[in-house]
């Protein structure tokens, strides 16, 4: 890899992106390094992954890397359920994801994915969003904005919604894949504006969260992560959530009581977990717990009612 490109934005590095083992990350997600005049795969062809005007690998490579990331790493809330605030600094996140065989939630996914993009030469802006009504809920969801050829693209690797490719930050833009359609709408937020990510369902558009445009700093993640992982009102303190993709391309959402499966061209399936059914699903979705954590998780779930 071109060392000039790999050191982009590292001279002033508040996010410590220089700590990322980029080669290990790309190997883990199964995507080759971008090449001058072409992409990481001969099958894609040189025109598919051309570099943009700023010298980044371009939109096609971004889409491929994003898709590989969300397939390689599950969204999971085990640490918060066990009363732990997962680390959100890059060194510990990559140790958990790359070395520990785990996934995580939005702060962890966003830290890792944004660092990889910066190391590859993309223009990256970390953004915080609000899940639920603004003014009632804090800005505790981390997203990644990527600028390619002047277009602002929103990547959401740590929400677990199943969105398979980034979507343009433009009123009315859509992203479709895997039988699901997501859209963006510019919405008022008090005296300012935000970007609402929506999912198209049978009854129309369902709002997922609103992204705000203010600058984000590492300390913002520390504060938000502490709230989400430890506050008694946080849903992740009482609800196990694991989502990810299966080898056949279907998307699975797991809680302590059920699993939901979505696949293109087939009806959504909701299944109650049979006794003893949790551990096999955790393994299938890529959540590889130590025996100690597995015992702690089952003990914690035994204290909680099954979700409705």
């Amino acid at each position: 890899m071109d060392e000039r490109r790999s050191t982009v934005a590292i001279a002033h590095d508040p996010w410590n992106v220089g700590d990322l083992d980029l080669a290990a990350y790309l190997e883990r997600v199964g995507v080759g390094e971008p090449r001058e005049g072409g992409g990481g795969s001969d099958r894609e062809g040189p025109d598919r992954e051309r570099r943009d005007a700023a010298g980044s690998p371009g939109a096609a490579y971004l889409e491929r890397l994003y898709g590989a990331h969300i397939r390689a790493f599950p969204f999971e809330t085990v640490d918060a359920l066990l009363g732990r605030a997962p680390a959100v600094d890059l060194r510990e996140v990559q140790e958990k994801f790359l070395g520990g065989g785990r996934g995580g939630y939005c702060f962890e996914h966003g830290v890792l994915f944004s660092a990889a993009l910066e190391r590859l030469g993309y223009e990256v802006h970390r953004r915080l969003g609000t899940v639920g009504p603004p003014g009632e809920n804090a800005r505790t969801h981390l997203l990644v904005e990527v600028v390619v050829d002047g277009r602002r693209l929103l990547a959401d690797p740590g929400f677990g919604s199943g969105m398979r490719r980034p979507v343009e930050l433009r009123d009315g833009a859509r992203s479709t894949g895997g039988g699901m359609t997501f859209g963006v709408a510019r919405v008022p937020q008090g005296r300012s504006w935000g970007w609402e990510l929506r999912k198209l369902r049978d009854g129309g558009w369902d709002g997922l969260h609103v992204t705000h445009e203010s600058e984000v700093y590492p300390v913002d993640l520390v504060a938000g992560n502490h709230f989400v992982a430890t506050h008694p009102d946080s849903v992740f303190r009482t609800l196990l959530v694991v989502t990810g993709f299966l080898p056949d391309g279907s998307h699975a959402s797991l809680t302590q009581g059920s699993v939901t499966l979505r696949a293109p061209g087939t009806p959504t399936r909701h299944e109650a977990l049979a006794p003893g059914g949790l551990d096999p699903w955790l393994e299938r979705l890529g959540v590889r717990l130590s025996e100690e954590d597995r015992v702690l998780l089952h003990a914690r779930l035994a204290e909680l009612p099954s979700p409705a």
Side-chain angles (χ1 to χ4, degrees):
M1 178 175 292
D2 187 339
E3 287 301 317
R4 293 171 299 173
R5 189 167 69 250
S6 68
T7 56
V8 169
I10 294 177
H12 176 62
D13 188 15
W15 295 96
N16 298 319
V17 301
D19 291 338
L20 177 66
D21 186 340
L22 181 59
Y25 172 81
L26 292 176
E27 180 179 7
R28 177 69 175 81
V29 301
V31 174
E33 295 179 358
R35 298 179 305 194
E36 296 295 339
S41 167
D42 292 336
R43 292 174 299 176
E44 300 293 344
D47 293 330
R48 178 165 169 73
E49 291 184 348
R50 67 174 181 81
R51 294 193 172 277
D52 78 345
S56 80
Y61 187 86
L62 168 65
E63 182 175 314
R64 193 152 62 93
L65 188 67
Y66 174 81
H69 178 103
I70 62 175
R71 286 168 175 79
F73 305 115
F75 175 93
E76 50 116 326
T77 63
V78 172
D79 285 341
L81 191 61
L82 294 180
R84 305 168 182 163
V88 291
D89 64 279
L90 179 60
R91 288 184 183 180
E92 294 194 55
V93 170
Q94 73 173 330
E95 175 58 30
K96 179 182 178 183
F97 278 52
L98 304 184
R102 293 279 302 277
Y105 60 18
C106 66
F107 297 115
E108 300 165 278
H109 279 274
V111 163
L112 183 61
F113 188 64
S114 61
L117 293 179
E118 282 199 299
R119 288 287 299 275
L120 289 163
Y122 286 98
E123 179 184 341
V124 173
H125 303 276
R126 296 157 184 86
R127 302 297 187 200
L128 286 174
T130 302
V131 180
E136 297 180 22
N137 294 341
R139 301 178 184 184
T140 55
H141 179 54
L142 180 64
L143 306 101
V144 182
E145 178 189 329
V146 192
V147 181
V148 180
D149 280 331
R151 297 168 61 223
R152 301 171 62 198
L153 303 173
L154 186 68
D156 194 12
F159 194 66
S161 64
M163 189 172 78
R164 301 187 183 217
R165 53 180 57 90
V167 61
E168 188 172 0
L169 276 179
R170 174 177 54 81
D171 193 39
R174 295 191 179 191
S175 173
T176 300
M180 293 181 279
T181 298
F182 296 82
V184 168
R186 189 169 183 257
V187 294
Q189 297 290 290
R191 297 182 180 180
S192 61
W193 293 84
W195 300 99
E196 183 177 60
L197 183 68
R198 299 171 170 177
K199 184 175 183 179
L200 186 61
R201 305 186 191 275
D202 291 339
W205 289 105
D206 182 21
L208 301 178
H209 52 67
V210 175
T211 300
H212 306 270
E213 302 226 22
S214 55
E215 194 71 22
V216 175
Y217 301 95
V219 68
D220 297 320
L221 270 59
V222 173
N225 181 56
H226 178 72
F227 175 87
V228 172
T230 66
H231 195 281
D233 290 341
S234 170
V235 66
F236 295 146
R237 292 290 295 115
T238 58
L239 180 65
L240 175 68
V241 182
V242 181
T243 72
F245 291 91
L246 301 176
D248 65 1
S250 60
H251 184 260
S253 301
L254 176 71
T255 70
Q256 57 258 50
S258 66
V259 62
T260 300
L261 300 170
R262 297 176 176 87
T266 63
T268 298
R269 292 162 46 202
H270 302 282
E271 301 175 359
L273 280 184
L278 179 63
D279 288 344
W281 269 109
L282 290 174
E283 184 68 23
R284 288 184 70 185
L285 289 171
V287 182
R288 295 172 176 86
L289 300 177
S290 67
E291 180 60 20
E292 178 183 3
D293 280 351
R294 189 189 70 81
V295 171
L296 289 172
L297 176 61
H298 280 274
R300 172 61 176 152
L301 293 176
E303 301 172 350
L304 302 172
S306 294

